[in-house]
Structures are given as C-alpha cells and as structure tokens.
Amino acid sequence: MDYRTVVSEENDILEVPDQTLSPFIEFETQDDQNNDEKQLRWSHQKDLDDFFSRVYQYHQRHGFFCIVLSEIFALVQFLFIISFTILIIQCIDYPLLFRSTPLARNITDKIQISQVIQSPKQCLRNMHLITSLCLILSIIYWIYRLSRAIYNLQSYFNIRAFYTQALDIKPSDLPNMTWHEVQQRLIIAQRTYHLCIHKSDLTELDIHNRLLRFKNYEVALVNKGILPPRINLPILGDIISFTTGLKFNLRLILFWGPYAPFDQRWHLQQEYKVHSQREVLAKQLSRFILLYGLANLLLSPFIFIWQVLNLFYGYTELVRREPGVLGSRRWSNYGRLYLRHFNELDHSLNQRLNRGYKPAVTYMSSFVNYSIIETAKFVSFTTGAILAVLILLTIYDEDVLNVEHMLTLITGLGVLLGICRSLIPDENTVFDPEQMLQLVLAHVHYQPDSWKDHAHTDYVQAEFGQMFQLKYVYFLEELLSPFITPIILCIQLRRKSLQIIDFLRNYTIDVQGVGDVCSFAQLDIGKHGDLKWFAPVRAKPENDTGIMNDGKLELSLMHFHHTNPKWQMPKQCEIYLEKIQERAMESMQTSSILQQSLNQMQSLNVQRSFYSDPTSASSISNRSVIPKPLSNSNTYTHFAPLTHTTTSLSMQQQSPSITQSGASKADLPYKNLAPFGVLSKIHTQMFGLSDSNYLSAPLQGLPGAAQLDMNVSCLFMHELRHKYKHGEYEELEHINEDQDDETKC
C-alpha cells in the first residue's frame, strides 16, 4: 500500500501571490480591509478536524447561548451531586432524625431541619478518610472540567463569529437551518477563506472524513469483529459488553491518549505503516493496554461510586413514577456502531435509529414467554388487590400512613405492579416477526444475511437483543463497568493487539488535504466492494480481508449519496449505482418491495394536494394506497415516513432514551431526490409515461421522499443479495476498472 507524507498543517505557511507593479493606483477602502482581515482570520486553520468538529457541534447544540447554559449547568450539577452526597452521608444527625437514642426520644416538639443538619465544622471534623479522598479527587476533577469549559466557550465564541462572518448565518437563523445547508455554505466558504491550504475546493466526503476520522475506524473494527471483544460465560454464552467506560478507554488507547498510534489528530505514526515493525508495535500496544487496565482497576471504586450516584439521582424518581421504563429498550453502544454507515454523522444516525425504534420494540415483543406472562398476571392481581385495600384505607383515614413502613410498602407495591403489567402483552396484538424485522431493516439498513427467513427463531432474537438491549441490562452494565472494563482490557483486548496493528497498517490511506483516514471511508467500490453485493467484477483475492461484511460499503455509498445528493462521486461509483437502478427496473413487476414502493409513491403524490389545498385532507384519509396484506398493520406507517407529521408522531410515541436528550430533528436534503436512488429511477420512468396509472406529479420537494427512496434502495439491495445467494441472479455486468486515477473511489 502506498502512502504519501502529509505536511504538518501547523508548520504550513500561507503562500502569498506575487505582487507586480500596476499601472493604476488603487486605494484600499475600509470594507476591503475588513474583508482581508476576515480572510486572514479564517484562512489556514491549524487543526481542521477540531475546527470542523466545533462547527458541527455548534449547530447540533443550537448555538452559543445554549452551549453556555449547557457548560454552566454541567458544572453546577457536578457540584450539586458531590455536595448533596456529602451532606447526606456526613452532615445529618440520623440518630436525632429517627429518634433512635434516649435523648432524642425525650424530645416532644417537632424536630427542626436546623437541628438535624450539622454545622460545616462538625461535618469536616467527623468526615471519614475515604470521603475526604473522594472529595479531593472531585475537586481536582471539577477544576479540570472548569478549565475545559472555559477553553470550550472561548473556542465556540470564535465559531460563533465564523458562522456570522464567513457563513453569513445569524444566531437567530441557526435554529431553522439544517446541517446540510450549513455544510453547503462551508464548502462555499472554503473557496473564499481557504480553510484548508492543501486543496482549493472541499467536497462533502472531505468534510465527513475529518468529522468522522476515528469513528470510521471504529465502524470498520466492529464490522471486522475485532471490536468489541466477546465474553463467553458458562450460562449466558457469548455476550458483548461494550459499556461507555470501555468505549472511552478504547478511544484513549487508539486515538486520543499519549501512547496512541495517532500522534496527531490526522496522522498515523510512520512506524505503524511498516510491516516489519508489526510484532514490536503489537507488544508495545499490549503493554499500554495493560497500563490502562491497571489504571482503571485502581480508579474502579471511585468510578463505581460516581456511577451509583449518577444513576440514583437521575433515574430513581423516573423508575418510581414509570416502573415500566426498566423493561423498555435502547440501542446499545455496540448496536449503534454495527448499524452505523461509514461517514454518517451523529444526528443522521439518531434519526435512523429513532425511526426504527417502534418496529424494533414490536419485533422484540413478539417473542413471548408464556410462563413469565402467567406469573406476571398472578403477581399483578395479588399486588393490585393489596394496593387497592391500602389506598382505600388511606382515603378513609390518613393516619394509616403513619404506620411504620406503610408509605414504603405502597411505593414498592406500585413499582412491582408496574413491572408486572409491562410484561403482559396487549391481548389485541398480532405478532408477525418476519414483517416486523423487515420494517426494522428498512430504517436501520443492516442485518446479517443469516437472519433472512429466520426472524422467528430465538437465535435471531438473541442476536438482535445485543443491539437493542433492555434498559435494566444497560443500568447493570454501567454499574459493573468499572470492574469489568479492567478485565476486558487486560485479558481480552491485549490478545487483539496484533490484529489492531495490522488493521491500522492495511486500511489506512493518505488523502490529500485530509490526512490519514480509514480506506473503507473512501467508499472505494472497486477496491473493497463485495462481489456478493454486486460489486465490480474483478479477480477474487486469496482472502477477503479487504471486504466489509453485510454490505457495509455498498449501503454506506448509497446512504452517503442520499444524504449528499450534490456530491460528485467517482465514475466507478456512478456505474455501480446505475447497475442497481437497471436491476430495479427489470425487477419492478416481480419484486414485492418495489411494488410496495409504488404504492408509497402514489401516497406521496396524493398528499401533494394536502399541501396545496388543506380542505382535501378528508379525501386523502379515505383513499387506500397501502397493499391489502399490510393495511391492518399499525406499524406499517413507520416503513417510510410520508410526511413530517407522521415522522413527528412516531417520534412522540417513543420512550425516552437514557443516553439521548430529546427527539432528533429531521435533517436531510428533502428537496432533491438522489439521482442514483432506486425510487428516483422508478419515479423518473413512471412519470415519463403519459399513460401511467401510478403517478400524476413529480416527487421533487415532497417531505419524506428522500427518506423513502433510501429505505426502498436499502431493502431492494438486500433482496438482490438474497436472490444472488440462491442463484436467481448473476453478478452485475462488468464495470470497467480501467479508469483514470481521477475516477477511482
């Protein structure tokens, strides 16, 4: 593999054009001077990765004022947790509060709060050694967070000026702009301000490679099975433990830490690119992993205490109020990486997974353990009866609450009743695992090929459960993470040191103006395409180590094209997507997926009149455009959101995620269908026919059309893969690989 040395961006010097004598005398105005100052201010950013990341985060965090509030509240919240915990542990006279001493029992008056809470001097004098140590560490960590907050606010204030001056986006306009619009202005700003000195023009792929340089490596490592390590337990079998603490340590080891292979944000150290150094580097990496594991082991008691406090203060009231939240589900850290496309930003990933949440919940609920249901019904009945009697007694005489532990008993029975009822499915629900998993696939885009026609099996349910885990499992993993993470680092991950070194060497390329990136992130179909996913025909290598599993590269290319329809992709990529479109036109009469998409297209055109004439809403609701087999399915509307109303409704019905703050906002170039999408090709052909019974108006500009196009393209590509596996189709026609260097992916 060839590499080109990237000149350090910190040492580059901006080239000044030669100044020649002019026959005319030009006077520089004040506006010209201001423009020159702006260009010099934003020209040649030393660390474009950090700069673009802050530009992206500034948009996602809704502007400077919201960022200031977030930073301040985070610092205050940390102080509150520490001070409130010390107050509870050290500064309350519990014998007096509970009247457990003879002196306290003799007090006949009500005990005042000032009597129970000790003075600061008494608290400090009676403080335990462990509490004092935790307090000192907390103060040091808070000072570190304070310094980071000040630095971040200074940086984001600079980004605020960049938005206003270079991108011409006022703070009041930011909430109404999508990232796609900001990115287009960023590309235009490069031509004026020369943010990157190595290239005159930036592409969408260049920006995404910088924003997701390390996350693309993580996606590839997960796809190759190198990360995360699997743990084999005697009873539970193979489990995947990929906690937040483990993920943070992996990023320190591989990307951020002092001993990471990347000595700069954009440069892999040169010795990691030399084959003869692989054994030495693997041993060195193994020692570093061991050091990180031992450090985690030493800090594990303090991390565990923090995890307990954070979960206790954050979710105890929520669990008391909504006990069923423990039985709800969330996308796991492993699932978010397995289902992530190459070059997919966080907000785009959140949108896809949020749209697939309801079908995923329905699919997992279709696996019923009837013994648990019968037990839950019995416990629910007895618990409800006891709780009803206690509630009636408290209504009759409130002195019942003064009985010892009565309030605790009522609260515990309520929590138990909520948990039992969450285990009992709706008696009117009809489960169809195959259809539900197909709906999930339409949004999340990935599943192993072995799951096809086996969605009803316990094996597939268990595998999908690793990606879509129960929240109480998540809580347990995070609580035990301080003790599990050192074991995984010291035992499991150290064994993979050589695999990690080989991966970084084999799949790192130097891109001019971007630096060292994961080669898969370049979406090079000709080099890394999978023959089974209709990639270009070429001589099959002895091993398929350079091929992504489950169509990761092919689907990532299709997704990146849909989210960036103006991206000028290489010629080979265009030919590949054109072949997919041609196959779609050939299969339009035989593919059930394409037949469903035609009905969805008709529905979108019918709803066009809704936007132009609101009085036509009643006629729309009376028209049936969904195929008969699916017309009774309540979740079919989530197959492809047809309008912003449908999308927002599905978002409101979802349970709140533990790790995500609020619902994500749709952010796609809805106004333009992707030229190489399957749906756009069918639409173009059908709309071009004058006698077409399907379409009466173009889909351009309709909300939801781009999302529907991506969903249909994904499902059709999976259908082609399945048919190819069973010999119904041969691979696509030969795609010419003898292209110029400029046309290669």
Side-chain angles (χ1 to χ4, degrees), residues 425-445:
D426 185 2
E427 60 183 6
N428 298 316
T429 303
V430 177
F431 295 117
D432 186 352
E434 294 293 342
Q435 178 181 323
M436 289 303 104
L437 193 60
Q438 187 80 343
L439 294 176
V440 174
L441 179 62
H443 293 291
V444 303
H445 300 167

Side-chain angles (χ1 to χ4, degrees), residues 115-229:
Q115 295 177 290
V116 175
I117 299 178
Q118 300 176 354
S119 64
K121 292 183 178 180
Q122 289 177 307
C123 292
L124 294 176
R125 184 170 60 250
N126 300 328
M127 188 171 294
H128 300 294
L129 178 62
I130 297 178
T131 307
S132 302
L133 182 59
C134 291
L135 179 60
I136 293 173
L137 292 176
S138 300
I139 293 174
I140 295 174
Y141 181 68
W142 188 84
I143 293 175
Y144 165 76
R145 291 190 60 173
L146 176 62
S147 60
R148 289 292 303 174
I150 295 174
Y151 173 77
N152 288 334
L153 291 180
Q154 290 176 345
S155 300
Y156 282 117
F157 186 79
N158 187 46
I159 296 300
R160 180 180 182 273
F162 176 76
Y163 265 79
T164 304
Q165 299 176 8
L167 302 184
D168 194 23
I169 299 176
K170 299 178 181 178
S172 58
D173 298 332
L174 184 64
N176 300 321
M177 298 194 68
T178 65
W179 169 252
H180 180 74
E181 296 172 319
V182 175
Q183 181 177 260
Q184 294 303 312
R185 298 199 181 196
L186 191 61
I187 293 174
I188 297 174
Q190 161 66 18
R191 303 166 189 167
T192 304
Y193 297 98
H194 305 292
L195 307 173
C196 177
I197 200 65
H198 297 290
K199 299 180 69 175
S200 58
D201 293 324
L202 286 176
T203 66
E204 293 87 346
L205 188 62
D206 293 336
I207 295 175
H208 282 71
N209 278 171
R210 284 190 175 275
L211 288 173
L212 302 166
R213 187 188 304 273
F214 297 143
K215 288 186 179 179
N216 283 329
Y217 277 104
E218 292 177 357
V219 171
L221 287 168
V222 169
N223 185 269
K224 284 295 185 180
I226 300 176
L227 296 177

Side-chain angles (χ1 to χ4, degrees), residues 67-108:
I67 294 175
V68 172
L69 289 180
S70 176
E71 295 287 350
I72 293 176
F73 289 153
L75 292 171
V76 174
Q77 179 177 317
F78 185 84
L79 284 178
F80 170 78
I81 292 176
I82 299 302
S83 58
F84 188 63
T85 303
I86 293 177
L87 173 66
I88 294 175
I89 296 176
Q90 294 290 151
C91 302
I92 294 181
D93 190 351
Y94 287 101
L96 177 61
L97 177 65
F98 297 132
R99 300 178 186 267
S100 58
T101 61
L103 181 62
R105 294 192 191 99
N106 294 330
I107 300 177
T108 58

